[in-house]
C-alpha cells in the first residue's frame, strides 16, 4: 500500500502546486462515496468540483465507456460517428426546444470561449457583458469575462471586449448594454461567489433587454446544467421565470468525469456559423460522447431529477435544526450553507469526520455539490457530522 505521506511527497515534488489539497489519497469511488488508500471512506458532497453528477463510477456509464474503448478510442469531426450522433441527439432532446444544435469541446472554459465567439460572429459586434461574482474559466477570453476576486487579474493582460455589470441589478446592465454588445453572459447561480441567485424577474428583464437590443443571451450552465438544480437546466425553469437563452454552455458533470464540454445553440445562432468558424481536435471524441449519452441515460433511468428535488427538501428541513446555519442558498444540489461565522473551520471539521464539502469566495458559505444520487440517509450522516463539528466534539 502506498502511504499518504509517500503519495503527498511525490505529488508535491513532481506536480505544480496549484491547489491546496485535502489530505486524502483517492483510490476508488462508488456512488456518493470516495474510498481512500488508507481504507477510510468519505461521503463526497463536492463531487470533485461538481463533476460526479451521476455519482462515482456509475455502472451504466462505466459500461458504456468500456465498450467504446474496445471499439474506437477516437476519431475527429472529419468523420461521422454513431456514438457522436446519439450523444448530440440525446443532449438536444433534453434541451429547451429552441436550442437545437450542439457543439462539443472539452471543458467549461472552452465552451464559454466558443459561445462568446459565436455571439460575436452572429452579431458582428465585439463586447461581452458579464457580471461581478461570475466565474467563467481560465483561458484568455473566459478569464477576462470573470469579474470574481483575483481571477481576472491572474489573466492579465486581459483581452479587450469585456464589460462588467452587477448581478441582479438590471439598471447596471442597461447602462452598459449598448449596440456594441454581442452578448450578455451569466452564471445563473453564481456558485464560486457563494451560491448567489438573482430574483426571477432579473432573468426575464435581461432576456427582454437582449431581444430589444439584438444581443445574444448566454447562460453559463457549467455548474447548474445536467440536472444539478433538479431540472435538466436552470434555463427554462421556474427560478429563471422560464427564460431560455440563445446559448447554454455545459461541462463538469456532462461526461461523469470524462472531460467534455458543450454549447447548446439556437437555430438562429447556428445559421451564422459556417465550416471552419469553430474547431477542435478532441471535442466530439467517441469516448467522451459515449460518456455523455450514458450520463444522461443514467440520470433518466435512476430518476435523479426527482431525487434531487426530494432530497433537497429533506436537507433544507434537517438544516432548520441547526441554528448556526443562517441561510441556505441555491437550488437542487447546488447549495450554499451560510453560517454566522467562517465556513472554513466547519469544512475542516467535516473533513475530519470523513465528509468532503466545498468552500467559496464568500468566507461564510460552505458549498455542497453532491452527486445527484445522494439519499436521505446520506443527509442524516451529514447533519449528524455537522452538528458534531459545530459543537467541536
Ligand atoms: C460556472 C463555471 N463556468 C466555467 C468553468 C470553467 O470550467 P473548466 O474548469 O472545465 O474549464 C467553471 C469551473 O469551475 C465554472 O464553475
Amino acid at each position: 500500500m502506498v502511504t499518504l505521506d509517500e503519495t503527498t511527497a511525490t505529488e508535491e515534488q513532481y506536480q505544480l502546486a496549484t491547489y491546496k489539497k485535502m489530505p486524502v489519497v483517492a483510490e476508488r469511488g462508488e456512488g456518493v462515496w470516495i474510498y481512500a488508500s488508507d481504507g477510510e471512506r468519505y461521503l463526497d458532497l463536492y463531487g470533485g468540483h461538481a463533476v460526479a453528477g451521476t455519482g462515482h463510477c456509475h455502472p451504466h456509464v462505466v459500461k458504456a465507456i468500456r465498450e467504446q474503448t474496445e471499439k474506437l478510442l477516437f476519431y475527429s469531426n472529419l468523420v461521422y460517428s454513431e456514438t457522436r450522433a446519439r450523444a448530440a441527439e440525446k443532449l438536444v432532446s433534453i434541451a429547451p426546444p429552441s436550442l437545437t444544435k450542439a457543439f462539443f469541446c472539452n471543458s467549461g472554459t472552452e465552451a464559454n470561449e466558443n459561445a462568446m465567439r459565436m455571439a460575436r460572429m452572429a452579431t458582428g459586434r465585439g463586447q461581452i457583458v458579464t457580471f461581478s461574482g461570475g466565474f467563467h474559466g481560465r483561458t484568455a477570453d473566459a478569464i477576462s469575462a470573470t469579474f470574481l476576486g483575483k481571477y481576472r487579474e491572474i489573466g492579465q493582460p486581459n483581452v479587450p471586449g469585456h464589460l462588467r455589470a452587477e448581478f441582479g441589478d438590471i439598471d447596471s446592465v442597461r447602462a452598459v448594454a449598448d449596440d456594441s454588445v454581442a452578448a450578455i453572459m451569466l452564471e445563473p447561480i453564481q456558485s464560486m461567489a457563494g451560491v448567489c441567485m438573482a430574483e426571477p424577474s432579473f432573468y426575464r428583464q435581461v432576456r427582454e433587454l437582449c431581444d430589444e437590443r439584438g444581443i445574444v443571451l448566454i447562460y453559463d450552465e457549467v455548474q447548474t446544467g445536467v440536472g444539478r438544480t433538479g431540472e435538466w437546466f436552470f434555463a427554462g425553469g421556474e427560478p429563471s421565470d422560464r427564460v431560455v437563452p440563445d446559448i447554454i454552455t455545459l461541462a463538469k458533470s456532462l461526461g461523469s468525469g470524462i472531460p467534455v464540454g458543450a454549447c447548446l445553440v439556437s437555430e438562429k445562432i447556428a445559421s451564422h456559423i459556417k465550416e471552419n468558424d469553430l474547431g477542435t481536435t478532441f471535442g466530439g471524441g467517441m469516448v467522451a460522447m459515449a460518456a455523455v449519452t450514458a450520463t444522461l441515460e443514467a440520470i433518466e433511468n435512476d430518476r435523479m431529477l426527482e431525487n434531487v428535488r426530494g432530497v433537497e427538501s429533506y436537507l433544507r428541513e434537517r438544516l432548520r435544526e441547526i441554528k448556526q446555519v443562517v441561510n441556505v442558498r441555491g437550488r437542487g444540489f447546488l447549495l450554499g450553507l451560510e453560517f454566522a461565522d467562517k465556513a472554513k473551520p466547519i469544512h475542516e471539521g467535516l473533513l475530519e469526520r470523513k465528509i468532503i464539502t466545498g468552500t467559496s469566495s464568500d468566507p461564510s458559505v460552505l458549498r455542497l455539490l453532491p452527486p445527484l444520487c445522494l439519499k436521505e440517509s446520506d443527509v442524516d450522516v451529514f447533519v449528524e457530522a455537522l452538528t458534531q463539528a459545530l459543537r467541536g466534539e
Side-chain angles (χ1 to χ4, degrees):
M1 187 176 78
V2 184
T3 67
L4 172 66
D5 287 349
E6 279 174 80
T7 306
T8 306
T10 309
E11 275 207 24
E12 281 179 3
Q13 184 173 353
Y14 294 109
Q15 197 196 15
L16 262 181
T18 53
Y19 280 87
K20 169 126 188 65
K21 295 180 190 189
M22 296 178 277
V24 176
V25 179
E27 201 171 64
R28 190 165 69 76
E30 199 181 322
V32 296
W33 299 98
I34 280 289
Y35 294 80
S37 61
D38 58 4
E40 290 287 359
R41 75 170 191 170
Y42 291 78
L43 177 62
D44 184 10
L45 302 183
Y46 193 57
H49 276 117
V51 169
T54 53
H56 295 287
C57 297
H58 191 289
H60 182 67
V61 181
V62 170
K63 180 168 177 279
I65 295 169
R66 183 182 295 132
E67 285 174 3
Q68 183 58 46
T69 61
E70 283 162 8
K71 284 198 285 191
L72 181 61
L73 285 180
F74 182 77
Y75 208 93
S76 63
N77 290 285
L78 285 179
V79 299
Y80 291 93
S81 146
E82 191 191 332
T83 311
R84 188 186 303 124
R86 281 186 62 212
E89 184 182 32
K90 184 76 195 161
L91 186 57
V92 168
S93 80
I94 58 157
S98 58
L99 304 183
T100 54
K101 293 265 194 293
F103 171 78
F104 290 109
C105 51
N106 310 288
S107 64
T109 197
E110 232 189 297
N112 288 334
E113 296 264 336
N114 282 288
M116 289 187 278
R117 190 164 300 165
M118 281 190 257
R120 290 181 173 124
M121 285 172 168
T123 58
R125 304 172 181 176
Q127 303 284 349
I128 308 287
V129 175
T130 49
F131 293 86
S132 302
F135 181 85
H136 300 292
R138 291 172 184 263
T139 49
D141 213 8
I143 208 166
S144 301
T146 292
F147 293 102
L148 172 71
K150 64 185 185 321
Y151 290 104
R152 197 162 193 272
E153 213 173 292
I154 294 170
Q156 279 184 348
N158 296 127
V159 299
H162 291 278
L163 300 168
R164 172 184 190 149
E166 300 308 310
F167 192 55
D169 173 0
I170 192 65
D171 290 336
S172 75
V173 193
R174 284 204 186 98
V176 291
D178 60 19
D179 60 10
S180 68
V181 169
I184 297 176
M185 179 162 77
L186 56 92
E187 201 192 343
I189 303 178
Q190 293 188 332
S191 179
M192 299 245 287
V195 191
C196 306
M197 251 164 92
E199 290 298 320
S201 58
F202 175 71
Y203 304 94
R204 163 75 46 207
Q205 289 165 330
V206 172
R207 175 74 271 182
E208 285 167 0
L209 187 68
C210 287
D211 292 342
E212 203 180 289
R213 302 190 182 173
I215 297 169
V216 174
L217 180 58
I218 304 170
Y219 276 11
D220 173 344
E221 294 223 40
V222 167
Q223 290 214 19
T224 56
V226 201
R228 182 148 301 281
T229 61
E231 297 184 77
W232 280 115
F233 304 100
F234 185 92
E238 211 184 303
S240 74
D241 216 8
R242 311 255 169 238
V243 158
V244 176
D246 304 293
I247 305 178
I248 292 176
T249 61
L250 301 169
K252 297 279 191 199
S253 60
L254 182 59
S256 295
I258 299 292
V260 56
C263 300
L264 279 166
V265 177
S266 72
E267 204 67 47
K268 187 162 169 214
I269 301 288
S271 70
H272 291 274
I273 309 302
K274 304 179 301 298
E275 258 175 49
N276 270 328
D277 279 350
L278 308 177
T280 158
T281 298
F282 286 118
M286 283 76 192
V287 176
M289 295 297 98
V292 168
T293 307
T295 295
L296 302 178
E297 287 171 350
I299 293 172
E300 254 171 11
N301 297 345
D302 297 358
R303 304 178 69 81
M304 289 191 208
L305 302 184
E306 290 91 323
N307 183 65
V308 170
R309 295 195 292 266
V311 177
E312 178 200 1
S313 303
Y314 181 70
L315 175 57
R316 283 181 180 273
E317 197 185 298
R318 294 280 340 250
L319 287 171
R320 273 190 220 116
E321 296 162 21
I322 302 178
K323 67 173 189 327
Q324 291 93 331
V325 178
V326 295
N327 190 15
V328 180
R329 304 179 187 169
R331 181 107 180 150
F333 281 178
L334 169 47
L335 294 175
L337 277 48
E338 189 184 341
F339 291 89
D341 285 324
K342 291 208 173 349
K344 189 96 193 356
I346 301 165
H347 166 80
E348 284 160 5
L350 285 165
L351 190 60
E352 279 165 25
R353 290 164 181 80
K354 313 296 173 212
I355 296 187
I356 302 174
T357 56
T359 53
S360 75
S361 69
D362 181 336
S364 65
V365 171
L366 187 78
R367 263 190 314 160
L368 306 184
L369 293 139
L372 311 186
C373 54
L374 188 83
K375 297 196 292 291
E376 289 188 359
S377 54
D378 304 319
V379 168
D380 292 337
V381 172
F382 167 61
V383 172
E384 176 65 29
L386 180 60
T387 310
Q388 286 174 10
L390 287 164
R391 276 200 219 117
E393 279 170 5

